[in-house]
Amino acid sequence: MWPLILGAGAALLLNELFEEKPKSNKRIFISFAIEDAKYRDHFVAQAKKGNSPFSFVDMSVKKPWNEKIWKQKCRSKIKSCDGVIVLLSKNTYHSKGTRWEIKCATQENITVVGMHIQKKHQGAIPPELKGQKIIIWTWENLEKVIRKI
């Protein structure tokens, strides 16, 4: 039986011995139609929870740029990532920005995964995702995908 009171050093040692190793952060670019921003926010919030089976560094664009600068800066962000997760909805097919981000990631040989944000209301998958992995948004699916990226 463990003693009820431990010194700080012993507590740290026990934590190191018995706790899981820290999650490795992957640099993930999240691509989404602007109409789906609330889903992106929810997705990022999930990863910050202590019981989340995955973790990543969010590299999505958080402020608007003019189109010329946007493509340049966006490509730079995508190139610095381990993978791209595309949030798929009925809006994605019509989002020129999202489709450009998928093309860019493919050109830069960055792993791209499509993820349906709603199981019952899936939109058309953009042709830029042809041949790419497509998943439904679940904790288990996210964990598997992010670990493989």
Side-chain angles (χ1 to χ4, degrees):
M1 181 157 198
W2 296 102
L4 294 177
I5 299 174
L6 295 173
L12 288 173
L13 178 60
L14 287 174
N15 281 340
E16 287 179 24
L17 292 174
F18 294 105
E19 284 192 2
E20 289 184 31
K21 299 288 182 204
K23 302 172 198 170
S24 62
N25 283 331
K26 301 287 180 117
R27 295 173 63 87
I28 303 293
F29 186 93
I30 303 168
S31 181
F32 60 97
I34 195 66
E35 298 87 353
D36 299 324
K38 68 180 179 182
Y39 294 102
R40 177 227 164 256
D41 294 344
H42 181 67
F43 179 53
V44 172
Q46 268 191 336
K48 292 179 181 177
K49 292 184 178 185
N51 64 342
S52 170
F54 59 89
S55 62
F56 61 87
V57 178
D58 174 22
M59 293 297 291
S60 56
V61 175
K62 295 169 184 70
K63 62 181 181 177
W65 295 310
N66 72 44
E67 186 170 350
K68 183 179 179 182
I69 292 174
W70 172 77
K71 285 187 175 182
Q72 180 184 16
K73 290 193 178 219
C74 194
R75 181 175 295 276
S76 177
K77 278 189 171 247
I78 289 170
K79 283 173 65 171
S80 74
C81 289
D82 299 302
V84 172
I85 294 180
V86 181
L87 303 184
L88 297 172
S89 73
K90 292 184 178 188
N91 302 310
T92 311
Y93 191 88
H94 304 287
S95 174
K96 290 179 184 176
T98 302
R99 291 178 68 171
W100 182 87
E101 291 167 352
I102 298 166
K103 284 183 202 173
C104 176
T106 302
Q107 291 167 353
E108 299 297 339
N109 295 314
I110 304 295
T111 301
V112 180
V113 176
M115 182 174 74
H116 290 290
I117 58 178
Q118 294 184 351
K119 188 175 185 177
K120 293 183 180 181
H121 302 287
Q122 298 175 6
I125 296 173
E128 293 81 2
L129 281 174
K130 184 177 180 173
Q132 304 292 348
K133 185 163 187 68
I134 307 292
I135 64 169
I136 302 289
W137 187 346
T138 68
W139 286 81
E140 184 179 335
N141 289 343
L142 284 169
E143 180 183 17
K144 287 178 185 175
V145 163
I146 290 175
R147 285 185 185 204
K148 288 181 181 178
I149 289 178

